[in-house]
Amino acid sequence: MNAQDCPFEKIIPSELLRDAEYFMAHAFNQAIEAWKIDEVPIGAVIAHEGRIIASAHNRSRAANDPTAHAEILAISQAAHALGDWRLNECTLYVTKEPCPMCSGALVISRIKEVFYGLPDEKMGCLGGALDLGALPRSNHHFTSTGGILAGPNHAILQAFFEKKRQYNATDKTNDSAAI
């Protein structure tokens, strides 16, 4: 599989309306960058006072680090940019509902709110499988909204894994023929 052959074009959002779709378009563009280095195409950006202060995509394979998810990397960048680990005035935009690890990091970082593209009923922890942002006994709660640019976010993940399956099937066929 040639990772650089991402069939998706970047979305160029209008600067006139900095709404959830604007910021999600930037997260989607990060997902494209993940595809280009053969990472699961998930991207994230964090906004503070209407401007992006952090942007990242998955790098688990490239970094050989299971914690190098887009959200974790963006949280670290945002904390560094603000000089404070508390992100209580920040909003995260991520292409897929965060997993348990990332959702826990969002609680710890005291994120203000989260917008995500694609819900994840199996592992999503902002309403999919459970909601860590609304734990009743937690000292921090945040709101989350799903479905932002859900179509393109679903399409890129679906296409990535389909291409992976095709590549793996071809690779197995080639291995069998060589024997």
Side-chain angles (χ1 to χ4, degrees):
M1 177 175 151
N2 187 351
Q4 288 79 22
D5 294 338
C6 181
F8 292 85
E9 298 285 328
K10 289 191 173 184
I11 299 171
I12 310 300
S14 169
E15 295 287 330
L16 298 176
L17 183 60
R18 290 184 172 225
D19 59 0
E21 287 190 8
Y22 168 87
F23 292 105
M24 188 62 73
H26 286 281
F28 179 80
N29 293 342
Q30 284 294 313
I32 290 172
E33 294 304 312
W35 179 308
K36 290 178 180 179
I37 62 168
D38 199 30
E39 293 281 354
V40 175
I42 295 176
V45 300
I46 295 181
H48 178 258
E49 296 179 351
R51 68 180 185 88
I52 295 171
I53 61 166
S55 60
H57 54 75
N58 279 5
R59 296 193 52 81
S60 296
R61 290 184 176 109
N64 201 26
D65 178 356
T67 68
H69 288 196
E71 301 95 321
I72 299 292
L73 298 172
I75 288 168
S76 293
Q77 287 178 21
H80 181 74
L82 294 176
D84 191 348
W85 61 270
R86 293 174 207 84
L87 304 180
N88 55 336
E89 295 300 319
C90 295
T91 302
L92 171 75
Y93 300 86
V94 61
T95 56
K96 183 173 178 280
E97 183 178 357
C99 72
M101 174 183 67
C102 295
S103 298
L106 293 167
V107 172
I108 299 301
S109 68
R110 292 177 171 72
I111 199 83
K112 179 181 176 182
E113 62 185 330
V114 176
F115 290 90
Y116 60 89
L118 184 65
D120 182 353
E121 294 177 5
K122 293 180 183 177
M123 291 294 290
C125 286
L126 295 185
L130 62 119
D131 190 351
L132 291 181
L135 292 174
R137 297 182 66 184
S138 175
N139 65 340
H140 179 70
H141 300 93
F142 58 87
T143 60
S144 61
T145 304
I148 311 300
L149 296 182
N153 288 315
H154 180 258
I156 194 169
L157 280 166
Q158 188 174 37
F160 178 81
F161 286 114
E162 179 59 32
K163 202 164 190 175
K164 279 282 193 196
R165 283 189 291 276
Q166 288 173 357
Y167 175 78
N168 290 339
T170 302
D171 198 38
K172 286 178 185 175
T173 303
N174 291 341
D175 287 346
S176 297
I179 296 176

